[in-house]
C-alpha cells in the first residue's frame, strides 16, 4: 500500500514503523539498512515533536497543539517527511511537499 508513494515525483524511499519504533516495511532506492535507519530516525524525531507539542499545550493552556499532524526536516538536497508512523525521503528539486504530505496523511488514515 505505501509503495504507491514511490510513484510521486522525487520520492526516494518510504517506510512504515510501529509505535514502538520497529520497522514494518520499507521500499525505495536505498539499501535495507538505510531504510531501517530511516525508521529509527523517524520514530525518535516523532517522539521529540510529540514531547515539544505536549509542553506547548501544557504551558500555553491552548488547544490544538496535539496530536502532531506530521513533521518535515528539510536539508539542502533532501527532505524527510513523516505523518503518523510513515516516513519518506524526497529530493527537493523534484518533490511537491504539499501533495506528498497529503498522500502520507491519506495513507495514515487507511
Amino acid at each position: 500500500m505505501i509503495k504507491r508513494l514511490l510513484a510521486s515525483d522525487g520520492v526516494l524511499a518510504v517506510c512504515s514503523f510501529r509505535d514502538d519504533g520497529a520497522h514494518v516495511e520499507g521500499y525505495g532506492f536505498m539499501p535495507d539498512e538505510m531504510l531501517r535507519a530511516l525508521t529509527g530516525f523517524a520514530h525518535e524525531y516523532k517522539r521529540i515533536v510529540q514531547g515539544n507539542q505536549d509542553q506547548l499545550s501544557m504551558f500555553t493552556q491552548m488547544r490544538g497543539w496535539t496530536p502532531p499532524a506530521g513533521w518535515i526536516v528539510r536539508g539542502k538536497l533532501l527532505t524527510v517527511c513523516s505523518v503518523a508512523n510513515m516516513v519518506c525521503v524526497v529530493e527537493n528539486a523534484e518533490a511537491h511537499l504539499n501533495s506528498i504530505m497529503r498522500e502520507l496523511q491519506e495513507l495514515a488514515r487507511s
Side-chain angles (χ1 to χ4, degrees):
M1 173 167 30
I2 67 171
K3 264 187 181 178
R4 74 178 190 198
L5 194 57
L6 282 175
S8 299
D9 290 339
V11 175
L12 299 177
V14 60
C15 299
S16 66
F17 54 96
R18 292 193 316 234
D19 286 337
D20 65 359
H23 179 81
V24 175
E25 61 183 329
Y27 307 98
F29 307 103
M30 296 179 172
D32 277 348
E33 72 180 44
M34 288 185 73
L35 293 173
R36 290 181 185 282
L38 175 62
T39 59
F41 167 76
H43 177 255
E44 292 301 318
Y45 202 85
K46 177 183 175 182
R47 292 181 61 191
I48 291 168
V49 168
Q50 286 175 333
N52 287 342
Q53 289 183 317
D54 288 344
Q55 286 180 352
L56 284 169
S57 180
M58 181 178 65
F59 291 135
T60 64
Q61 296 297 309
M62 294 171 57
R63 297 177 138 201
W65 292 106
T66 58
W71 52 266
I72 296 172
V73 176
R74 188 172 177 94
K76 186 175 182 179
L77 301 175
L78 300 175
T79 296
V80 180
C81 306
S82 183
V83 172
N85 289 352
M86 287 186 289
V87 61
C88 68
V89 175
V90 298
E91 291 179 305
N92 293 343
E94 301 291 323
H96 302 281
L97 289 181
N98 288 338
S99 62
I100 290 170
M101 291 300 285
R102 276 192 297 274
E103 184 75 20
L104 280 170
Q105 287 172 341
E106 186 178 308
L107 288 170
R109 279 180 258 178
S110 53

